[in-house]
Amino acid sequence: MSNEVSDLQRRYTLLMLVLVYTSSHVDRQIMGILGQPIKESLLISDTQLGLLTGIMFAVFYATLGMPMAMWADRNNRRNLISFSVFLWSLMTAMCALATNFVQLLLLRIGVGVGEAGSNPPSHSIIADLYPPEKRSTAMAIFGTGINWGILIGFLVGGWINEWYGWQAAFVIVGLPGILLALLVRFTVVEPSRGHSEALQQEVAVPGFWEVVGFIWRSSVLRHIVAAGALVSFAGYASVIWIPIYLVRIHDMGTGEVGSYLALLIGVGGAIGIYLGGRIADFMAARRGQQWLPWVVAISSLITLPLLFITFMATTPMIAIAAYALPAMLGTLYVAPGFALIQNSTPLEMRSVAAAINLFVINIIGLGLGPFTVGFFSDVFSQSYGEDGLRWGLATTIVILIWGVIHYWRCGVMIKRQTAVALAPAA
């Protein structure tokens, strides 16, 4: 393999990784817009809906991500990504065949198994293509895949459900991923490890527990992993349950909800995550690396009162208007967090470090976030009826505040470490 990577190859590889990330979030987040029709069709509870969209999916997705990341640190990352896209796309299309809760749960687990193999090697490849001073922006571009995925999933899923039913929506969003898998396999060139930092030599790959120990000993990495997990708890819960909330509480159609949220979360969120990465790189270059987590902390604080207004709104337009800014800022944490993990980790640990970070984020955020809201919705519904979902969603605000504290402490730790590093020797 040549050690040289042209600018065209670099841009093309990043584009393909964005499309892969987009595909994963189309297939993952479509459950949000289809949640209420599936609940009514299969006669399931909110807790079961939370299991479908949260913990059971996340356990397999996150747990398998670590051995797959270790494999990626030793073998061809592009091939693993290609196989993963093929598997999750096939499993998504097959969700159309489910006729009960158990069948759909097993197929969603299959989607999670497929998605486990894409993110850690993607992070590692991006780190090899872009140097530290450009990495947050590159990660932000990659991270927009979340928002493009939600845009496609909500817009297509919402209207296809109204026209043809939820089963057809799974088929239509799932099958294009098989073509994408082939494009990745036959058109993407994998860079050599350490390319962006001119470290072309082969290095010994550490064991899994050695990487765990490295993360645990780093106060910066501990805080950034915890913060990302807690903020993603609120984010994943909102993405899954806000469309269900608008359909159930405010009597909106799935097509109408999908259109609004495609605009707010898809377009607005993509702008937010990209600008967040650029702002984080700008502030870090001029004021210090501590601004990578501090930018996220400030943006999250801004969203707190608006989220409460969204959950308690008396009309759908108030809810949608209040949700506009949180939707734009909801995934801003992705780029600075991903970049900090890569910046703070030796190149031979990067895929596994990314997998450990994603494991924690996905178990707590993707897993417990939607499940917790569904569980508390059922609990509060005993007293408040349908409005129980409002209070189930409100529980996420407390978790978001907790995450902000960790982001702030992470910045403090970075600032202290920088001061020590720059202090003159005694």
Side-chain angles (χ1 to χ4, degrees), residues 227 290-291 293-294 297-298 403-413:
Q290 68 270 18
W291 278 94
W294 282 354
I298 293 168
V404 167
I405 294 171
H406 279 289
Y407 275 120
W408 194 258
R409 289 294 298 164
C410 180
V412 171
M413 294 297 103

Side-chain angles (χ1 to χ4, degrees), residues 143-426:
T144 60
I146 297 173
N147 306 97
W148 303 132
I150 293 170
L151 184 154
I152 295 169
F154 280 11
L155 190 62
V156 175
W159 286 110
I160 293 300
N161 170 69
E162 290 202 4
W163 295 334
Y164 304 110
W166 61 267
Q167 293 92 341
F170 278 121
V171 174
I172 289 172
V173 302
L175 291 182
I178 295 174
L179 175 60
L180 178 61
L182 295 173
L183 284 173
V184 171
R185 174 60 182 83
F186 295 108
T187 68
V188 170
V189 177
E190 177 168 316
S192 56
R193 299 180 195 273
H195 173 84
S196 67
E197 291 144 318
L199 297 171
Q200 305 295 343
Q201 73 274 16
E202 293 297 321
V203 294
V205 179
F208 172 77
W209 291 110
E210 187 177 345
V211 182
V212 172
F214 180 86
I215 293 174
W216 181 253
R217 289 189 298 271
S218 168
S219 58
V220 169
L221 290 174
R222 287 202 310 270
H223 279 296
I224 202 65
V225 170
L230 294 167
V231 169
S232 69
F233 180 104
Y236 277 119
S238 293
V239 168
I240 291 297
W241 286 102
I242 285 291
I244 297 172
Y245 158 74
L246 292 173
V247 172
R248 184 184 305 175
I249 305 296
H250 293 292
D251 296 318
M252 298 177 69
T254 58
E256 183 183 13
V257 170
S259 298
Y260 276 116
L261 294 184
L263 179 64
L264 296 182
I265 304 177
V267 178
I271 294 171
I273 196 172
Y274 175 74
L275 290 179
R278 293 299 298 268
I279 291 169
D281 272 345
F282 177 86
M283 294 298 294
R286 286 156 180 77
R287 301 293 299 275
Q289 289 289 308
Q290 68 270 18
W291 278 94
L292 287 176
W294 282 354
V295 164
V296 185
I298 293 168
S299 69
S300 298
L301 283 174
I302 293 171
T303 68
L304 289 172
L306 294 171
L307 284 172
F308 186 78
I309 293 171
T310 300
F311 303 152
M312 300 301 156
T314 55
T315 69
M317 288 302 102
I318 291 175
I320 290 169
Y323 191 57
L325 193 57
M328 175 176 284
L329 300 179
T331 51
L332 188 145
Y333 74 95
V334 171
F338 287 178
L340 270 173
I341 294 292
Q342 298 296 311
N343 292 352
S344 305
T345 307
L347 68 94
E348 67 271 17
M349 295 184 179
R350 283 175 178 165
S351 284
V352 176
I356 293 170
N357 178 47
L358 290 168
F359 174 82
V360 179
I361 283 178
N362 288 310
I363 290 296
I364 294 176
L366 176 59
L368 293 180
F371 173 76
T372 300
V373 171
F375 173 79
F376 279 109
S377 174
D378 282 339
V379 171
F380 288 127
S381 292
Q382 297 175 23
S383 300
Y384 300 105
E386 284 192 342
D387 284 338
L389 179 54
R390 297 179 185 270
W391 294 103
L393 281 163
T395 61
T396 63
I397 294 176
V398 178
I399 305 299
L400 185 57
I401 295 171
W402 187 4
V404 167
I405 294 171
H406 279 289
Y407 275 120
W408 194 258
R409 289 294 298 164
C410 180
V412 171
M413 294 297 103
I414 294 173
K415 189 174 182 179
R416 287 179 183 173
Q417 291 179 7
T418 303
V420 170
L422 296 177

Side-chain angles (χ1 to χ4, degrees), residues 55-190:
I55 191 67
M56 294 305 295
F57 175 96
V59 164
F60 286 86
Y61 170 60
T63 303
L64 289 175
M66 288 186 288
M68 288 187 180
M70 295 186 71
W71 189 94
D73 271 339
R74 293 161 171 81
N75 298 282
N76 190 292
R77 295 167 290 185
R78 176 204 60 200
N79 293 351
L80 176 59
I81 294 170
S82 174
F83 173 76
S84 298
V85 178
F86 174 82
L87 181 58
W88 82 57
S89 300
L90 181 63
M91 290 294 104
T92 297
M94 289 180 65
C95 286
L97 302 176
T99 58
N100 56 53
F101 169 74
V102 173
Q103 291 175 1
L104 186 55
L105 179 64
L106 292 174
L107 289 166
R108 294 305 296 173
I109 289 172
V111 175
V113 171
E115 292 191 14
S118 70
N119 264 11
S122 293
H123 291 192
S124 179
I125 289 174
I126 291 171
D128 285 337
L129 291 174
Y130 292 89
E133 64 271 15
K134 297 181 179 180
R135 201 166 284 156
S136 187
T137 298
M139 288 293 186
I141 294 171
F142 173 73
T144 60
I146 297 173
N147 306 97
W148 303 132
I150 293 170
L151 184 154
I152 295 169
F154 280 11
L155 190 62
V156 175
W159 286 110
I160 293 300
N161 170 69
E162 290 202 4
W163 295 334
Y164 304 110
W166 61 267
Q167 293 92 341
F170 278 121
V171 174
I172 289 172
V173 302
L175 291 182
I178 295 174
L179 175 60
L180 178 61
L182 295 173
L183 284 173
V184 171
R185 174 60 182 83
F186 295 108
T187 68
V188 170
V189 177
E190 177 168 316

